[in-house]
Amino acid sequence: MIDMDENDISFFKDGLRLDGRRTDQLRPIKIEVGVLARADGSCYIEMGGNKVIAAVYGPREVHPRHLQEVTRAIVRYRYNMASFSVEERKRPGPDRRSYELSKVSREALEPVILTSYFPRSVIDVFVEVLQADAGTRTAGINAAAVALVDAGIPMKSMISACAAGKVADTIVLDPMKEEDNFGQADLPIAMTPNGDITLLQMDGNLSPDEFHMAVEMAMKGARDIYEIQRRALVEKYSQLEAPTVEVKACE
Ligand code: UDP
């Protein structure tokens, strides 16, 4: 969050946000499943100005081997922001922010992955941010969840992620960059379709009432995103023809 007086920016015009959205409206979302030939599962997502790709590899052998767990698969998640994805060129390579985002995103997905099915193996998730406009961690988690399904990884449920924020003393859904950078708070969540929360972070200040309102709003957003994820997967897999099985009569 940039230390700047939020009064310097007018966040609303005629009751609508800078990009014309209502306070409780998501940015447009586009999801494409199975975009990378060499990955076991992949997904490309656009959430407003965010363009993110997720690739899943595995379950596969763990390297280095000392990381392997006898009773379950380990999950690795690497969030990476391309240097060209932001206005001011980002220095390439991992930094404190990408380590944090990788950790919380892994923790958002791991509870639904049936890791005990694949002892001594690893499920690798790579998330590449090609264009950033606030909300890249939630976009990454949404893409990664779809890519995990595309890879055929057994999961207890889907995970959908969305943020709410506070700008000019108003709670808004899915903040874009100006709202995130100059707003008063940002609250990203991830959850299952049943509403079990696997990620909840908060940056800035919210009163208890505002906090509850922001969580409710983000959960509603996540539910809507779940529908879009589900539809993208159904669309991809309903296009595939069922394998034809030839059964020969016994002679
Ligand atoms: N950002 C940037 N340069 C950076 C990191 C972030 O311009 O090195 C921008 C980018 O648009 C990002 C936004 O700031 O989406 C908000 O970043 P934050 O750390 O809150 O994570 P996010 O909202 O993307 O999950």
Side-chain angles (χ1 to χ4, degrees), residues 178-211:
E178 291 77 3
E179 294 171 333
D180 184 283
N181 286 172
F182 305 118
Q184 295 153 298
D186 181 32
L187 185 144
I189 67 150
M191 66 174 213
T192 67
N194 289 338
D196 292 329
I197 291 184
T198 59
L199 166 92
L200 197 157
Q201 293 185 285
M202 193 180 119
D203 187 9
N205 295 309
L206 292 173
S207 70
D209 281 350
E210 288 169 341
F211 173 80

Side-chain angles (χ1 to χ4, degrees), residues 91-211:
R91 203 171 155 207
D95 53 19
R96 263 176 60 136
R97 180 176 172 276
S98 69
Y99 281 126
E100 179 212 321
L101 266 57
S102 299
K103 178 180 184 289
V104 298
S105 303
R106 173 177 57 74
E107 289 171 351
L109 292 164
E110 212 170 8
V112 299
I113 301 174
L114 293 166
T115 52
S116 60
Y117 285 19
F118 307 106
R120 299 179 188 278
S121 57
V122 60
I123 296 162
D124 277 308
V125 183
F126 297 92
V127 165
E128 297 289 326
V129 177
L130 308 175
Q131 186 174 290
D133 189 45
T136 57
R137 84 193 64 195
T138 49
I141 291 168
N142 290 329
V146 172
L148 282 163
V149 176
D150 186 41
I153 306 288
M155 287 154 78
K156 286 185 235 170
S157 77
M158 186 48 125
I159 291 288
S160 312
C162 188
K166 180 182 169 186
V167 289
D169 295 330
T170 308
I171 303 297
V172 295
L173 182 63
D174 187 22
M176 57 175 168
K177 190 167 180 303
E178 291 77 3
E179 294 171 333
D180 184 283
N181 286 172
F182 305 118
Q184 295 153 298
D186 181 32
L187 185 144
I189 67 150
M191 66 174 213
T192 67
N194 289 338
D196 292 329
I197 291 184
T198 59
L199 166 92
L200 197 157
Q201 293 185 285
M202 193 180 119
D203 187 9
N205 295 309
L206 292 173
S207 70
D209 281 350
E210 288 169 341
F211 173 80

Side-chain angles (χ1 to χ4, degrees), residues 31 160 221-233:
I31 295 180
S160 312
R223 273 190 209 103
D224 291 344
I225 291 169
Y226 166 67
E227 264 315 305
I228 301 169
Q229 290 171 304
R230 200 183 63 80
R231 254 185 279 140
L233 283 160

Side-chain angles (χ1 to χ4, degrees), residues 47-69:
M47 286 180 74
N50 295 302
K51 297 185 178 187
V52 178
I53 202 153
V56 168
Y57 297 82
R60 61 183 180 181
E61 212 175 309
V62 186
H63 292 289
R65 292 186 69 138
H66 68 84
L67 292 178
Q68 71 182 3
E69 292 282 343

Side-chain angles (χ1 to χ4, degrees), residues 34-55:
V35 289
L36 299 174
R38 283 187 208 101
D40 294 311
S42 58
C43 174
Y44 170 71
I45 191 166
E46 287 181 11
M47 286 180 74
N50 295 302
K51 297 185 178 187
V52 178
I53 202 153

